[in-house]
Amino acid sequence: MHSLQNTTPTAITRRIGIALTIFMAALLMSTAPGFAAPKRSADWYIKHGVSIASPTNSAPISFLGMNGQPKGVLIDVWVKWSEKTGIPVRFRFERWAKTLELVANGECDFHGGLFINDERITYLDFSTPLHELESALIVSRKNDTDVQTIYNNYTIGVLDKGHTEYFLRTNKKNLKIIKFPTDGDVAQALFLGQIQAAAGDHPILGYEIGKKGKGHELVVKEILFKHSLHAAVAKGNSTLLALIDEGLANITPAEYKNITNHWFVFHAENIDWFQYGFIAVTILFIATMIAIFIGRSKAGLYSEE
């Protein structure tokens, strides 16, 4: 006769508890940053293509156009990369913080472009550089003051889990920071008075503020850093990283230039047009006077003859 000792309610409860603990541990491992993505061969990626995590509302870097089509400088880079490698690309657009999770847990094959920092290198591996980008501290003209007052007294809006948040958190102490899910939300909060300053990728914040017709009210107080964007794969996915770097190396400098020129134009506001106009008028005036002087000299010679 078999003993019923191991089938008592207490034993059954204990077994259920152990099973639930194992299940929850597996679930947490599968969703935590750094969970290993499935191992795939280069041939698999060539045949099935790759999915690229991209942030929404990050124009002109990455965004969905009015017709729902992916647009932006990094989108064009990856379309060109696809042409070079023959590997089809699919873009998945999410809020910034979600794009990091998608790559870390293997839902997307790689991230379309982000900065490197000490936190991200624990669960991501990075490609060769893609494009340089500046991050800036920005205020509206009505809140303009010196930089130290801004850091000491102002509430600063940043993109949640963006590199600028990490930079401020590790380089500036005792700041009052509010995190927002998108750069568009940061820009909106700045002009609603919910924050007194904003910090983030300069062209993206500039675009969002300009889109609201507030570009003339923008003051860039300080460039925080200028770093390169990189693609990123889940930690240890060396096969895909090699394919990414190989394809990027085959994009020529002229092709990169055509892409960036399409999205980034020369900023006329950075030129002192009065100064250049004054110089041009002065040169024209001097040239005219010289011509008059030469003309009169020749006329004097003819009259003497």
Side-chain angles (χ1 to χ4, degrees):
M1 181 180 296
H2 296 287
S3 171
L4 298 177
Q5 182 179 359
N6 294 330
T7 57
T8 62
T10 302
I12 293 172
T13 301
R14 187 182 300 115
R15 289 176 183 177
I16 293 173
I18 292 171
L20 285 173
T21 301
I22 294 171
F23 173 77
M24 291 302 296
L27 183 63
L28 287 171
M29 286 177 63
S30 68
T31 56
F35 177 72
K39 295 291 184 182
R40 290 168 176 163
S41 67
D43 288 339
W44 190 96
Y45 290 114
I46 293 170
K47 180 179 179 180
H48 295 91
V50 293
S51 54
I52 304 174
S54 302
T56 53
N57 299 329
S58 292
I61 305 300
S62 163
F63 65 105
L64 287 171
M66 294 184 67
N67 57 357
Q69 292 298 308
K71 293 183 178 296
V73 60
L74 289 186
I75 302 301
D76 287 354
V77 167
W78 293 119
V79 169
K80 180 60 68 175
W81 177 88
S82 179
E83 292 176 9
K84 298 291 184 178
T85 61
I87 299 175
V89 293
R90 303 178 301 278
F91 298 98
R92 179 169 171 179
F93 285 83
E94 297 284 353
R95 291 181 172 182
W96 178 261
K98 181 68 174 178
T99 63
L100 301 176
E101 296 175 14
L102 291 176
V103 179
N105 64 26
E107 289 185 61
C108 281
D109 294 308
F110 68 91
H111 197 287
L114 71 171
F115 295 118
I116 299 174
N117 64 41
D118 290 342
E119 291 178 351
R120 293 171 181 172
I121 61 175
T122 61
Y123 62 94
L124 298 173
D125 288 329
F126 295 87
S127 74
T128 53
L130 296 170
H131 179 75
E132 262 194 340
L133 210 61
E134 289 181 342
S135 180
L137 177 68
I138 297 170
V139 297
S140 61
R141 292 194 183 279
K142 66 180 180 180
N143 288 327
D144 192 12
T145 185
D146 63 277
V147 170
Q148 199 53 52
T149 298
I150 294 172
Y151 286 134
N152 290 341
N153 301 320
Y154 282 16
T155 300
I156 304 173
V158 297
L159 178 66
D160 184 27
K161 291 185 171 58
H163 183 68
T164 300
E165 179 212 336
Y166 168 84
F167 177 87
L168 291 176
R169 183 160 35 85
T170 55
N171 290 277
K172 307 287 184 182
K173 302 302 180 184
N174 303 317
L175 296 182
K176 291 179 283 188
I177 289 178
I178 297 181
K179 304 174 189 178
F180 293 89
T182 71
D183 288 296
D185 294 324
V186 176
Q188 180 74 4
L190 181 64
F191 285 99
L192 288 178
Q194 297 170 346
I195 54 177
Q196 290 77 53
D201 299 340
H202 188 190
I204 299 174
L205 277 181
Y207 175 87
E208 291 295 335
I209 292 169
K211 189 170 68 174
K212 300 176 187 302
K214 303 287 188 177
H216 62 285
E217 299 180 29
L218 180 71
V219 179
V220 176
K221 296 301 298 182
E222 184 178 44
I223 299 299
L224 300 173
F225 58 81
K226 185 175 184 179
H227 298 326
S228 292
L229 297 171
H230 301 255
V233 300
K235 196 75 175 175
N237 194 348
S238 56
T239 300
L240 180 54
L241 191 61
L243 286 175
I244 292 171
D245 284 341
E246 181 181 352
L248 290 175
N250 289 326
I251 301 176
T252 67
E255 289 169 330
Y256 269 117
K257 186 176 181 180
N258 286 340
I259 291 171
T260 55
N261 284 351
H262 177 75
W263 292 104
F264 296 98
V265 296
F266 184 70
H267 293 289
E269 64 268 21
N270 292 333
I271 295 180
D272 186 343
W273 287 110
F274 175 80
Q275 178 184 351
Y276 280 91
F278 177 78
I279 292 172
V281 170
T282 301
I283 292 172
L284 180 61
F285 175 77
I286 293 172
T288 302
M289 293 305 294
I290 291 172
I292 292 172
F293 176 77
I294 292 173
R296 287 181 176 177
S297 298
K298 286 182 178 179
L301 288 173
Y302 291 145
S303 63
E304 289 178 2
E305 292 176 355

